[in-house]
Amino acid sequence: MNSYIKEEFKRAFFSKITLFTSIFSIVLVFGGMFEYISWIKYGDISVLYLFLSGYNSGTANFLIVVFPIISCLPFAASYVSDCKTGLNKYIYIRMSKTSYRWIRLLVNGLVGGFVLFIGPFISLLFLLGIKVFTHIPMAKEQMETFEYFKSLGIHSPIIAILIILIVLFFCGFTFATFALGISTFIQNIYLAVLLPFIYYIFSATVLINIHTYLNAVVLYDVNHFGVNFAQRCLYGIILCMVGIITFFIGGYKVEQKNT
């Protein structure tokens, strides 16, 4: 089983689509920061302002729009692919179906979280490198997001950014898990990646009218509508559980159909 787990990690993290998605994540973050980077030479901007511009507040920021697709692209459709190629039948010779599914859930979630996390993380390293040479401050402007962290007793900009990165990782993990569960029912590679994005848009246009906190962007944006961490975690857990339950139920039906 250990050798299979290693192979799954290699398959997920070292594939071309994961590389492409990681680069896309990085490009989107830097695209959000681009118009503000020129301000560095005037010393009139901070690391935190630049980071948040690339993460959720820049006028050219698109990561906050397409993050469900980025999280789901690398591996969420892998179960559908395995079923269509018959690869899963060979895997079952080496391990139980239950073990296979749990491994698939874990690897898919981790790679989904990674590709969403990597763009902002690389931007943070870039900004810290710039800070060494330009001496721009970590925080200068009065920003709503940082004020939110201060209200929680967190006054360090770097800790605030690290918390944001952790939230992003689990956001990607959640959407990738949700997509994997959906994939067992629709059996379509493209829809498996697209439907979580459709749900995201649906939540921001329809579900938000039922309750503000049903907007799935709260899983991404730490300060969106002032949602606290308990509510954010509850939403993420529910969405993850939906993905896990549908994956096991749908996977069982698929196996019965192919038996």
Side-chain angles (χ1 to χ4, degrees):
M1 182 182 294
N2 289 337
S3 61
Y4 171 70
I5 294 175
K6 290 179 182 178
E7 287 301 318
E8 281 293 276
F9 272 101
K10 289 181 181 178
R11 180 183 172 195
F13 281 87
F14 295 98
S15 67
K16 291 181 179 179
I17 188 64
T18 299
L19 176 61
F20 167 78
T21 310
S22 298
I23 293 173
F24 190 45
S25 175
I26 295 169
V27 169
L28 288 179
V29 175
F30 277 89
M33 296 191 304
F34 183 76
E35 64 178 306
Y36 303 104
I37 290 179
S38 62
W39 296 7
I40 293 175
K41 60 184 177 181
Y42 303 111
D44 196 29
I45 200 167
S46 67
V47 169
L48 183 62
Y49 189 95
L50 284 165
F51 178 84
L52 293 177
S53 297
Y55 151 68
N56 74 342
S57 60
T59 55
N61 179 273
F62 292 102
L63 185 63
I64 195 172
V65 177
V66 300
F67 74 85
I69 294 177
I70 288 178
S71 302
C72 300
L73 266 176
F75 218 53
S78 59
Y79 181 77
V80 176
S81 300
D82 284 358
C83 289
K84 289 188 174 182
T85 60
L87 178 61
N88 59 324
K89 294 180 180 179
Y90 292 100
I91 295 174
Y92 296 153
I93 298 174
R94 304 168 57 186
M95 67 178 62
S96 68
K97 296 177 182 179
T98 300
S99 296
Y100 163 75
R101 289 172 189 153
W102 278 115
I103 293 170
R104 179 52 53 86
L105 277 165
L106 177 63
V107 175
N108 172 65
L110 290 175
V111 74
F114 171 79
V115 294
L116 184 56
F117 161 92
I118 192 63
F121 177 70
I122 294 297
S123 74
L124 173 61
L125 296 181
F126 170 77
L127 293 173
L128 291 178
I130 285 180
K131 176 176 170 54
V132 172
F133 297 101
T134 62
H135 305 292
I136 60 173
M138 282 298 300
K140 180 180 180 181
E141 307 81 359
Q142 293 294 318
M143 303 188 68
E144 182 181 352
T145 300
F146 194 39
E147 292 302 314
Y148 169 68
F149 277 106
K150 285 182 178 179
S151 71
L152 300 176
I154 300 170
H155 299 275
S156 168
I158 192 67
I159 292 178
I161 292 174
L162 291 176
I163 291 174
I164 289 172
L165 291 175
I166 292 171
V167 169
L168 287 177
F169 178 85
F170 283 104
C171 176
F173 188 104
T174 299
F175 269 88
T177 302
F178 181 55
L180 186 61
I182 292 174
S183 72
T184 60
F185 283 92
I186 59 177
Q187 291 289 293
N188 183 290
I189 294 174
Y190 302 105
L191 284 178
V193 174
L194 189 59
L195 280 179
F197 176 72
I198 294 175
Y199 171 76
Y200 173 53
I201 299 301
F202 178 75
S203 73
T205 54
V206 178
L207 295 183
I208 192 174
N209 294 318
I210 299 174
H211 199 294
T212 300
Y213 297 162
L214 291 178
N215 186 351
V217 77
V218 303
L219 297 173
Y220 176 97
D221 190 350
V222 296
N223 192 36
H224 190 76
F225 297 121
V227 179
N228 63 46
F229 280 99
Q231 294 163 330
R232 193 185 315 280
C233 289
L234 179 61
Y235 196 163
I237 290 170
I238 291 173
L239 210 57
C240 260
M241 290 305 299
V242 169
I244 292 171
I245 292 170
T246 53
F247 180 60
F248 274 90
I249 294 175
Y252 175 76
K253 290 184 177 181
V254 170
E255 297 302 335
Q256 291 293 101
K257 182 179 178 181
N258 293 335
T259 300

